[in-house]
Amino acid sequence: MQKRYQVFISSTRTDLEEERRTLTDALLMNQFIPVGMEHFPASPDKAWPIIKRFIDECDFYVLVIAGMYGSINPANKLSYTESEYHYAAQAKKPLYAFIHEDVSSLPAMNVERTTARRRKLAEFTARVEADVVRASWSNPSDLATKVTAALNRAAWDSSAVGWVRADSVPEQFEALHAELLHPCDRLGIRRVSIDGVAGPDMRENLARALTTRIMSTSAVRLLEIYRQSFIEALTDGGHIKVLLPDPQGNFLTDVEESESAHGPRGVKISDEVALVRNRLLDILREAAAPRRSRPGSRGTVEIGYFTTHLRSTLVLCDDHWGWLTMTLPPARAPETASLMLSGGDRSLLNVCIRHFERTWDVVASRHATELLGP
């Protein structure tokens, strides 16, 4: 996306009119948007709020120092130029300073006359030199060349917001859709969660699913958070199939060993797997309670134990909704991104369903499944 970057030019005015004009022309020729005191009201009291707004909106802040300290801001007893510099630093704007290489060569009318103001200027200059990388300049053309060179480099490397033409947005959106959104749409990816949290979508789909397939390293938190939804599904005759790692298998041993290198994890995953079984039994008993159950509506829960598997959490509700969290040790599900999936001929959901069923068939052929009872 083509951007133009806004540049705030901060300097004294009367002594640097030619420099500012030359610099402004050079910035415009290099596709920057220069902003400076030429755009502010004559009254300082009215100008300061506008100055701050322009600094907030700018992408880069350029400070030019020569032989004058400038008019004083009554609010802080500093010059407006120094006040602008402090505000830009506080706003964390990229700062670029350009200091005249030989103030003694400047006309007397462009140099501070009093000792107090020269001291103020020297203190300000020393502070800038200590804070930021600065360059020297000797004449208007030299200044314009050095500023534009520095900003062109910065624009190339920068993640600054910048400005774009309003009529270019549809074109850029179409390009983004073709590169990213269209493939996601074809794959049935409906949402990306950066923290692994599904929210009400998970709760609602689990509660009404006729068949729920879960593949997880432990699923402890899933059963804690959505316990009521599982009970509702079983009460209505739903079927839940859960694939868990074999508590005695090498897969869990490898995962636990890789996670232990990053500090204590707390409960062992093998213990969590046993806990999952107990919680599923508790959910099944609650769904079968006389106050809930209806004739012919009792659901079922099956567990299968796999021996090797890429660590992830996969939740599939019938053939129309899914939630996929890819997790690599030592990260846990809430620390990684998740995908909300929907159906379609070439959807990722269908791939996940086929993967689950194929894994279940392998597990069943090894007699590593069990039907839980209340």
Side-chain angles (χ1 to χ4, degrees):
M1 182 178 295
Q2 186 177 5
K3 297 181 181 180
R4 296 188 67 178
Y5 297 100
Q6 186 164 306
V7 181
F8 189 94
I9 306 172
S10 179
S11 77
T12 51
R13 181 173 186 175
T14 57
D15 59 319
L16 295 176
E17 286 186 358
E18 182 182 355
E19 286 81 0
R20 293 181 66 88
R21 184 169 56 253
T22 303
L23 177 55
T24 297
D25 291 344
L27 289 174
L28 288 170
M29 290 180 63
N30 282 267
Q31 304 299 308
F32 291 98
I33 305 171
V35 176
M37 62 183 65
E38 296 85 355
H39 306 94
F40 307 145
S43 170
D45 293 339
K46 295 179 180 179
W48 184 241
I50 299 175
I51 290 171
K52 291 194 294 183
R53 190 188 77 208
F54 274 121
I55 292 176
D56 288 336
E57 293 177 352
C58 80
D59 298 292
F60 304 108
Y61 172 91
V62 170
L63 172 65
V64 181
I65 297 178
M68 301 291 286
Y69 182 60
S71 58
I72 301 300
N73 182 350
N76 57 15
K77 307 305 180 184
L78 302 175
S79 71
Y80 277 96
T81 304
E82 185 169 1
S83 298
E84 291 166 358
Y85 171 77
H86 287 305
Y87 186 80
Q90 178 184 344
K92 300 188 183 306
K93 298 296 179 178
L95 306 175
Y96 299 87
F98 299 85
I99 302 173
H100 197 281
E101 64 182 24
D102 185 10
V103 174
S104 64
S105 67
L106 296 172
M109 61 182 299
N110 291 339
V111 178
E112 292 293 354
R113 293 177 174 81
T114 68
T115 301
R117 289 181 66 84
R118 286 197 297 271
R119 184 172 61 250
K120 281 273 195 180
L121 176 61
E123 291 172 350
F124 176 37
T125 303
R127 186 175 300 112
V128 171
E129 291 178 328
D131 290 347
V132 300
V133 177
R134 53 91 173 181
S136 60
W137 62 277
S138 57
N139 57 63
S141 177
D142 182 44
L143 173 64
T145 298
K146 290 180 176 177
V147 171
T148 53
L151 292 180
N152 279 324
R153 287 193 299 271
W156 181 264
D157 299 332
S158 176
S159 58
V161 176
W163 299 89
V164 297
R165 286 178 57 89
D167 59 4
S168 72
V169 173
E171 178 183 345
Q172 298 299 331
F173 179 79
E174 289 175 6
L176 178 64
H177 187 275
E179 294 177 4
L180 178 62
L181 300 183
H182 181 62
C184 286
D185 187 61
R186 291 190 65 185
L187 288 171
I189 298 173
R190 294 292 171 255
R191 183 163 69 87
V192 178
S193 170
I194 62 172
D195 56 8
V197 176
D201 293 291
M202 178 82 80
R203 196 178 310 278
E204 294 169 5
N205 280 282
L206 286 174
R208 63 172 181 257
L210 296 177
T211 300
T212 299
R213 307 171 179 90
I214 299 170
M215 178 182 286
S216 178
T217 308
S218 75
V220 169
R221 288 287 294 151
L222 183 72
L223 294 176
E224 287 178 354
I225 297 172
Y226 301 107
R227 180 178 184 275
Q228 189 58 41
S229 295
F230 287 115
I231 291 174
E232 291 177 21
L234 290 171
T235 300
D236 291 335
H239 304 279
I240 299 174
K241 298 167 72 174
V242 183
L243 277 170
L244 298 171
D246 180 357
Q248 308 302 321
N250 291 333
F251 172 70
L252 274 190
T253 302
D254 292 344
V255 172
E256 290 177 344
E257 183 176 346
S258 66
E259 291 198 348
S260 65
H262 298 270
R265 182 181 182 278
V267 180
K268 294 180 63 177
I269 305 178
S270 55
D271 294 335
E272 288 186 354
V273 171
L275 183 60
V276 167
R277 185 180 185 280
N278 292 333
R279 287 188 175 171
L280 285 170
L281 282 169
D282 179 63
I283 289 171
L284 190 59
R285 282 192 291 268
E286 177 66 21
R291 68 180 185 282
R292 289 183 174 275
S293 62
R294 296 187 294 274
S297 66
R298 178 176 169 182
T300 60
V301 176
E302 293 181 87
I303 298 180
Y305 298 96
F306 56 77
T307 56
T308 182
H309 171 57
L310 175 63
R311 184 179 175 191
S312 63
T313 295
L314 181 61
V315 180
L316 305 169
C317 295
D318 296 319
D319 296 334
H320 66 267
W321 190 90
W323 188 259
L324 173 62
T325 302
M326 302 300 295
T327 315
L328 298 175
R332 307 301 304 277
E335 300 168 345
T336 56
S338 298
L339 305 178
M340 181 187 293
L341 309 175
S342 64
D345 292 340
R346 302 181 62 181
S347 69
L348 184 56
L349 176 64
N350 285 348
V351 174
C352 290
I353 291 172
R354 290 199 301 271
H355 171 63
F356 182 96
E357 291 299 339
R358 176 55 184 158
T359 305
W360 187 271
D361 289 344
V362 171
V363 168
S365 70
R366 295 172 180 169
H367 308 289
T369 64
E370 63 173 320
L371 177 66
L372 299 186

mmCIF file of all heavy atoms in Angstrom, residues 215-237:
data_model
loop_
_atom_site.group_PDB
_atom_site.id
_atom_site.type_symbol
_atom_site.label_atom_id
_atom_site.label_comp_id
_atom_site.label_asym_id
_atom_site.label_seq_id
_atom_site.Cartn_x
_atom_site.Cartn_y
_atom_site.Cartn_z
ATOM 1 N N MET A 215 -10.279 -34.007 20.245
ATOM 2 C CA MET A 215 -8.931 -34.557 20.284
ATOM 3 C C MET A 215 -8.069 -33.542 21.017
ATOM 4 O O MET A 215 -7.973 -32.392 20.614
ATOM 5 C CB MET A 215 -8.389 -34.800 18.864
ATOM 6 C CG MET A 215 -6.959 -35.335 18.834
ATOM 7 S SD MET A 215 -6.337 -35.542 17.131
ATOM 8 C CE MET A 215 -7.254 -36.997 16.643
ATOM 9 N N SER A 216 -7.460 -33.974 22.112
ATOM 10 C CA SER A 216 -6.712 -33.034 22.931
ATOM 11 C C SER A 216 -5.658 -33.771 23.734
ATOM 12 O O SER A 216 -5.755 -34.980 23.961
ATOM 13 C CB SER A 216 -7.660 -32.294 23.883
ATOM 14 O OG SER A 216 -6.960 -31.410 24.723
ATOM 15 N N THR A 217 -4.666 -33.005 24.190
ATOM 16 C CA THR A 217 -3.641 -33.595 25.040
ATOM 17 C C THR A 217 -4.196 -33.910 26.418
ATOM 18 O O THR A 217 -3.759 -34.853 27.072
ATOM 19 C CB THR A 217 -2.437 -32.649 25.164
ATOM 20 O OG1 THR A 217 -2.019 -32.279 23.860
ATOM 21 C CG2 THR A 217 -1.280 -33.311 25.894
ATOM 22 N N SER A 218 -5.170 -33.112 26.897
ATOM 23 C CA SER A 218 -5.805 -33.459 28.167
ATOM 24 C C SER A 218 -7.276 -33.056 28.211
ATOM 25 O O SER A 218 -8.105 -33.784 28.735
ATOM 26 C CB SER A 218 -5.058 -32.821 29.345
ATOM 27 O OG SER A 218 -5.332 -31.437 29.424
ATOM 28 N N ALA A 219 -7.648 -31.872 27.666
ATOM 29 C CA ALA A 219 -9.038 -31.394 27.637
ATOM 30 C C ALA A 219 -9.596 -31.045 29.012
ATOM 31 O O ALA A 219 -10.809 -30.885 29.169
ATOM 32 C CB ALA A 219 -9.951 -32.410 26.952
ATOM 33 N N VAL A 220 -8.712 -30.904 30.012
ATOM 34 C CA VAL A 220 -9.198 -30.606 31.364
ATOM 35 C C VAL A 220 -9.931 -29.275 31.401
ATOM 36 O O VAL A 220 -11.061 -29.169 31.888
ATOM 37 C CB VAL A 220 -8.025 -30.605 32.371
ATOM 38 C CG1 VAL A 220 -8.465 -30.029 33.709
ATOM 39 C CG2 VAL A 220 -7.517 -32.015 32.578
ATOM 40 N N ARG A 221 -9.301 -28.234 30.872
ATOM 41 C CA ARG A 221 -9.919 -26.908 30.919
ATOM 42 C C ARG A 221 -11.180 -26.857 30.072
ATOM 43 O O ARG A 221 -12.157 -26.196 30.428
ATOM 44 C CB ARG A 221 -8.921 -25.859 30.422
ATOM 45 C CG ARG A 221 -7.794 -25.582 31.390
ATOM 46 C CD ARG A 221 -8.300 -24.776 32.586
ATOM 47 N NE ARG A 221 -8.724 -23.447 32.189
ATOM 48 C CZ ARG A 221 -9.675 -22.737 32.803
ATOM 49 N NH1 ARG A 221 -10.308 -23.253 33.851
ATOM 50 N NH2 ARG A 221 -9.981 -21.520 32.389
ATOM 51 N N LEU A 222 -11.177 -27.546 28.956
ATOM 52 C CA LEU A 222 -12.359 -27.568 28.090
ATOM 53 C C LEU A 222 -13.562 -28.105 28.845
ATOM 54 O O LEU A 222 -14.665 -27.551 28.774
ATOM 55 C CB LEU A 222 -12.066 -28.424 26.855
ATOM 56 C CG LEU A 222 -13.166 -28.498 25.804
ATOM 57 C CD1 LEU A 222 -13.274 -27.175 25.065
ATOM 58 C CD2 LEU A 222 -12.891 -29.637 24.826
ATOM 59 N N LEU A 223 -13.361 -29.180 29.595
ATOM 60 C CA LEU A 223 -14.465 -29.777 30.353
ATOM 61 C C LEU A 223 -14.883 -28.887 31.520
ATOM 62 O O LEU A 223 -16.049 -28.879 31.910
ATOM 63 C CB LEU A 223 -14.073 -31.159 30.852
ATOM 64 C CG LEU A 223 -13.846 -32.224 29.765
ATOM 65 C CD1 LEU A 223 -13.368 -33.517 30.381
ATOM 66 C CD2 LEU A 223 -15.119 -32.445 28.956
ATOM 67 N N GLU A 224 -13.935 -28.156 32.082
ATOM 68 C CA GLU A 224 -14.268 -27.237 33.182
ATOM 69 C C GLU A 224 -15.147 -26.092 32.681
ATOM 70 O O GLU A 224 -16.173 -25.765 33.279
ATOM 71 C CB GLU A 224 -12.987 -26.667 33.793
ATOM 72 C CG GLU A 224 -12.189 -27.635 34.633
ATOM 73 C CD GLU A 224 -10.909 -26.993 35.169
ATOM 74 O OE1 GLU A 224 -10.625 -25.842 34.777
ATOM 75 O OE2 GLU A 224 -10.210 -27.642 35.954
ATOM 76 N N ILE A 225 -14.712 -25.474 31.595
ATOM 77 C CA ILE A 225 -15.383 -24.263 31.114
ATOM 78 C C ILE A 225 -16.756 -24.569 30.524
ATOM 79 O O ILE A 225 -17.719 -23.828 30.736
ATOM 80 C CB ILE A 225 -14.499 -23.556 30.069
ATOM 81 C CG1 ILE A 225 -13.182 -23.105 30.710
ATOM 82 C CG2 ILE A 225 -15.221 -22.361 29.453
ATOM 83 C CD1 ILE A 225 -12.171 -22.575 29.710
ATOM 84 N N TYR A 226 -16.842 -25.698 29.783
ATOM 85 C CA TYR A 226 -18.070 -25.971 29.033
ATOM 86 C C TYR A 226 -18.831 -27.184 29.591
ATOM 87 O O TYR A 226 -19.552 -27.862 28.858
ATOM 88 C CB TYR A 226 -17.733 -26.187 27.552
ATOM 89 C CG TYR A 226 -17.049 -24.983 26.946
ATOM 90 C CD1 TYR A 226 -15.686 -25.005 26.646
ATOM 91 C CD2 TYR A 226 -17.760 -23.816 26.690
ATOM 92 C CE1 TYR A 226 -15.058 -23.896 26.107
ATOM 93 C CE2 TYR A 226 -17.144 -22.703 26.157
ATOM 94 C CZ TYR A 226 -15.785 -22.743 25.868
ATOM 95 O OH TYR A 226 -15.176 -21.649 25.345
ATOM 96 N N ARG A 227 -18.689 -27.427 30.859
ATOM 97 C CA ARG A 227 -19.333 -28.578 31.500
ATOM 98 C C ARG A 227 -20.835 -28.587 31.243
ATOM 99 O O ARG A 227 -21.413 -29.625 30.876
ATOM 100 C CB ARG A 227 -19.050 -28.555 33.000
ATOM 101 C CG ARG A 227 -19.665 -29.717 33.781
ATOM 102 C CD ARG A 227 -19.280 -29.644 35.253
ATOM 103 N NE ARG A 227 -19.784 -30.806 35.984
ATOM 104 C CZ ARG A 227 -20.998 -30.905 36.495
ATOM 105 N NH1 ARG A 227 -21.859 -29.904 36.349
ATOM 106 N NH2 ARG A 227 -21.365 -32.001 37.140
ATOM 107 N N GLN A 228 -21.481 -27.432 31.435
ATOM 108 C CA GLN A 228 -22.931 -27.372 31.282
ATOM 109 C C GLN A 228 -23.367 -27.664 29.856
ATOM 110 O O GLN A 228 -24.390 -28.312 29.633
ATOM 111 C CB GLN A 228 -23.445 -25.987 31.716
ATOM 112 C CG GLN A 228 -24.957 -25.879 31.809
ATOM 113 C CD GLN A 228 -25.552 -26.888 32.784
ATOM 114 O OE1 GLN A 228 -25.023 -27.141 33.852
ATOM 115 N NE2 GLN A 228 -26.689 -27.481 32.384
ATOM 116 N N SER A 229 -22.584 -27.236 28.895
ATOM 117 C CA SER A 229 -22.920 -27.501 27.490
ATOM 118 C C SER A 229 -22.845 -28.996 27.187
ATOM 119 O O SER A 229 -23.692 -29.541 26.464
ATOM 120 C CB SER A 229 -21.968 -26.733 26.563
ATOM 121 O OG SER A 229 -22.141 -25.341 26.699
ATOM 122 N N PHE A 230 -21.859 -29.682 27.729
ATOM 123 C CA PHE A 230 -21.748 -31.128 27.536
ATOM 124 C C PHE A 230 -22.949 -31.844 28.163
ATOM 125 O O PHE A 230 -23.494 -32.803 27.592
ATOM 126 C CB PHE A 230 -20.449 -31.660 28.129
ATOM 127 C CG PHE A 230 -19.224 -31.298 27.344
ATOM 128 C CD1 PHE A 230 -18.245 -30.476 27.872
ATOM 129 C CD2 PHE A 230 -19.049 -31.788 26.055
ATOM 130 C CE1 PHE A 230 -17.119 -30.150 27.149
ATOM 131 C CE2 PHE A 230 -17.917 -31.463 25.324
ATOM 132 C CZ PHE A 230 -16.953 -30.638 25.861
ATOM 133 N N ILE A 231 -23.349 -31.395 29.336
ATOM 134 C CA ILE A 231 -24.501 -32.016 30.013
ATOM 135 C C ILE A 231 -25.758 -31.848 29.160
ATOM 136 O O ILE A 231 -26.533 -32.788 28.975
ATOM 137 C CB ILE A 231 -24.695 -31.390 31.411
ATOM 138 C CG1 ILE A 231 -23.542 -31.792 32.335
ATOM 139 C CG2 ILE A 231 -26.040 -31.813 31.999
ATOM 140 C CD1 ILE A 231 -23.563 -31.101 33.687
ATOM 141 N N GLU A 232 -25.954 -30.639 28.607
ATOM 142 C CA GLU A 232 -27.141 -30.388 27.783
ATOM 143 C C GLU A 232 -27.144 -31.276 26.542
ATOM 144 O O GLU A 232 -28.190 -31.820 26.152
ATOM 145 C CB GLU A 232 -27.183 -28.908 27.381
ATOM 146 C CG GLU A 232 -27.460 -27.964 28.540
ATOM 147 C CD GLU A 232 -27.419 -26.507 28.109
ATOM 148 O OE1 GLU A 232 -27.582 -26.240 26.900
ATOM 149 O OE2 GLU A 232 -27.222 -25.629 28.976
ATOM 150 N N ALA A 233 -25.971 -31.422 25.898
ATOM 151 C CA ALA A 233 -25.898 -32.254 24.697
ATOM 152 C C ALA A 233 -26.232 -33.711 25.018
ATOM 153 O O ALA A 233 -26.989 -34.371 24.288
ATOM 154 C CB ALA A 233 -24.503 -32.150 24.084
ATOM 155 N N LEU A 234 -25.694 -34.242 26.117
ATOM 156 C CA LEU A 234 -25.958 -35.635 26.492
ATOM 157 C C LEU A 234 -27.408 -35.833 26.914
ATOM 158 O O LEU A 234 -28.007 -36.880 26.642
ATOM 159 C CB LEU A 234 -25.010 -36.062 27.617
ATOM 160 C CG LEU A 234 -23.541 -36.216 27.224
ATOM 161 C CD1 LEU A 234 -22.676 -36.420 28.457
ATOM 162 C CD2 LEU A 234 -23.355 -37.383 26.249
ATOM 163 N N THR A 235 -27.964 -34.836 27.578
ATOM 164 C CA THR A 235 -29.372 -34.922 27.984
ATOM 165 C C THR A 235 -30.285 -35.061 26.776
ATOM 166 O O THR A 235 -31.316 -35.744 26.819
ATOM 167 C CB THR A 235 -29.762 -33.666 28.792
ATOM 168 O OG1 THR A 235 -28.945 -33.569 29.960
ATOM 169 C CG2 THR A 235 -31.225 -33.728 29.221
ATOM 170 N N ASP A 236 -29.889 -34.417 25.670
ATOM 171 C CA ASP A 236 -30.696 -34.489 24.440
ATOM 172 C C ASP A 236 -30.303 -35.650 23.540
ATOM 173 O O ASP A 236 -30.692 -35.701 22.371
ATOM 174 C CB ASP A 236 -30.547 -33.175 23.657
ATOM 175 C CG ASP A 236 -31.202 -32.006 24.379
ATOM 176 O OD1 ASP A 236 -32.121 -32.257 25.173
ATOM 177 O OD2 ASP A 236 -30.788 -30.859 24.142
ATOM 178 N N GLY A 237 -29.487 -36.586 24.078
ATOM 179 C CA GLY A 237 -29.132 -37.768 23.317
ATOM 180 C C GLY A 237 -27.880 -37.621 22.475
ATOM 181 O O GLY A 237 -27.650 -38.420 21.551
#
